[in-house]
Amino acid sequence: MRSPAHAVHASLGATFAPFAGWEMPVSYQGVVGEHTAVREHVGIFDVSHLGKVLVSGEGAAEFVNNSLSNDLRRASPGKAQYTLCLTEEGGVVDDLIAYLVSESEVFLIPNAANSAEVARRLAAKAPAGVTVDDQHRAFAIFAVQGPQSREVLLAEGLPTDMAYMAFEDARWSALAGTVVRVCRTGYTGELGYELLVPWESAADALTRLVDCIAQRGGQAAGLGARDTLRTEMGYPLHGHELSLEINPLEARCGWAVGWKKPQFWGRDELLRLKSAGVPRQMWGLRALGRGVLRPGLTVTRENQVIGTCTSGTFSPTLKAGIALALLDATAEVDAGAEVMVEVRGRHMPCAVVRPPFVVPKTQ
């Protein structure tokens, strides 16, 4: 599958690669430049591959709250919430954003690879009167991220004065009054917004946004920069820091669990793990010398294997190798401890860090 704005990306010189069944732009002029543009100015990402699932009908919000991990009752209509779809064994089917529109409407944005499975699980459990509609190709999603992201939206006449994780539906006058959903969120740590745009308006919307961003020293950014930015923030990526084998407590995502809720998928097992303690936990690693850290590398301490890197990259901001890693609880490491990572037959010294690695300039 392709983004509805694929032709626009091609005209910008994008390099494409397959990702979760989609052909997506990985980079345009280089990952480091795109990364830096987002940290210092503004960038735009096409993340239309993300899923879109509408849960609607009487009691839809209550059903979602009884299914997914976070407590949707803590949100009010017009707010979005990070949450998890879990198995009864506590594994993570996916992490996603839930947009609470009303008590009878919740719009979900899962990851591309897991969207169909999230929709299937919800549809299988939905009570009478609640429908689950996979709208994957109904909307494009563009993320405008960086210190000047607010200026870009204001220039386009779109709303910006909203709290973090709040959203608003607005008419985009420059696009013939097309209704778009604007949410104050993102995956980079910087000030940012995500725009849900009707599929058929995606190319025109992206063209306008790219032009507006270029006037402010920014540029289009691909999935390569998206990954370096999220790793600097220590944000999890499903399939790396979260999976059917990695539960929320191991990934330090317990804050996205409504512990006081009487019901959600996986609740009993997570309560057991919370009481007993998890055998491993997520930490950050920063290379103390030259070298790039990658997923799958072995972490040792005093010649004993204590864990594995789940994500790894070169940080353009820090100009150092960084990684996220699952480390054994028995190793009793803490921030500042030194460990070794095996890279191509040599041991690279790394400092244990509690993410984020980078503190954004604006949020």
Side-chain angles (χ1 to χ4, degrees):
M1 291 186 286
R2 287 179 169 179
S3 160
H6 182 87
V8 178
H9 296 300
S11 72
L12 294 171
T15 299
F16 296 94
F19 184 81
W22 290 67
E23 186 180 359
M24 297 298 296
V26 175
S27 182
Y28 302 83
Q29 301 176 31
V31 170
V32 173
E34 294 162 22
H35 177 111
T36 303
V38 173
R39 286 277 182 247
E40 297 184 354
H41 301 287
V42 62
I44 183 169
F45 302 83
D46 184 343
V47 287
S48 299
H49 62 297
L50 295 176
K52 305 98 186 176
V53 177
L54 178 65
V55 184
S56 60
E58 186 176 354
E62 181 181 8
F63 165 62
V64 170
N65 194 45
N66 289 340
S67 303
L68 305 183
S69 70
N70 214 335
D71 192 347
L72 198 59
R73 294 173 301 184
R74 295 193 298 223
S76 55
K79 291 292 185 69
Q81 184 183 72
Y82 179 81
T83 189
L84 305 163
C85 177
L86 305 175
T87 66
E88 291 301 337
E89 295 73 34
V92 182
V93 176
D94 201 19
D95 60 332
L96 59 156
I97 301 293
Y99 287 67
L100 179 59
V101 181
S102 69
E103 289 299 313
S104 60
E105 183 177 341
V106 182
F107 191 81
L108 305 176
I109 301 184
N111 286 293
N114 305 318
S115 182
E117 179 61 13
V118 170
R120 186 195 69 79
R121 287 174 178 257
L122 287 167
K125 298 287 188 180
V130 173
T131 60
V132 179
D133 184 17
D134 191 336
Q135 298 185 341
H136 208 151
R137 303 189 72 156
F139 301 95
I141 306 179
F142 300 118
V144 180
Q145 301 282 301
Q148 293 172 265
S149 58
R150 180 175 284 118
E151 296 175 25
V152 172
L153 267 66
L154 285 173
E156 288 297 318
L158 295 172
T160 63
D161 188 17
M162 56 192 74
Y164 183 63
M165 295 298 279
F167 67 89
E168 184 176 333
D169 293 339
R171 292 193 177 276
W172 195 343
S173 58
L175 287 184
T178 298
V179 176
V180 298
R181 179 164 290 170
V182 181
C183 187
R184 170 72 179 81
T185 183
Y187 199 46
T188 66
E190 298 289 345
L191 172 69
Y193 302 85
E194 292 190 349
L195 283 67
L196 276 74
V197 180
W199 190 268
E200 62 275 10
S201 301
D204 290 341
L206 181 60
T207 298
R208 290 195 62 87
L209 290 168
V210 167
D211 288 346
C212 193
I213 283 168
Q215 295 171 23
R216 289 159 178 80
Q219 57 183 285
L223 295 183
R226 187 169 183 258
D227 190 59
T228 57
L229 288 157
R230 72 94 191 169
T231 305
E232 285 187 348
M233 293 304 300
Y235 291 159
L237 175 63
H238 193 274
H240 292 252
E241 287 72 47
L242 294 166
S243 71
L244 294 175
E245 290 74 41
I246 305 174
N247 66 63
L249 291 171
E250 292 173 318
R252 296 188 186 273
C253 288
W255 58 270
V257 176
W259 296 105
K260 296 181 180 180
K261 291 200 305 182
Q263 180 181 346
F264 61 89
W265 298 341
R267 177 179 181 272
D268 291 346
E269 179 60 15
L270 282 196
L271 286 173
R272 187 192 70 79
L273 288 168
K274 186 180 181 183
S275 176
V278 290
R280 54 186 184 169
Q281 197 152 55
M282 194 65 59
W283 286 94
L285 304 178
R286 177 173 176 170
L288 296 176
R290 297 183 63 182
V292 179
L293 303 175
R294 296 297 184 195
L297 296 179
T298 299
V299 183
T300 64
R301 190 183 192 195
E302 298 177 352
N303 297 318
Q304 298 294 318
V305 174
I306 64 168
T308 305
C309 293
T310 54
S311 289
T313 189
F314 175 80
S315 163
T317 305
L318 300 175
K319 295 179 172 51
I322 60 172
L324 298 174
L326 274 173
L327 303 182
D328 294 344
T330 55
E332 297 182 344
V333 298
D334 205 345
E338 185 172 317
V339 297
M340 296 289 181
V341 177
E342 295 184 17
V343 182
R344 296 180 179 177
R346 68 184 181 93
H347 289 82
M348 180 188 298
C350 296
V352 175
V353 176
R354 188 183 293 273
F357 296 94
V358 172
V359 178
K361 295 178 181 178
T362 57
Q363 289 184 315

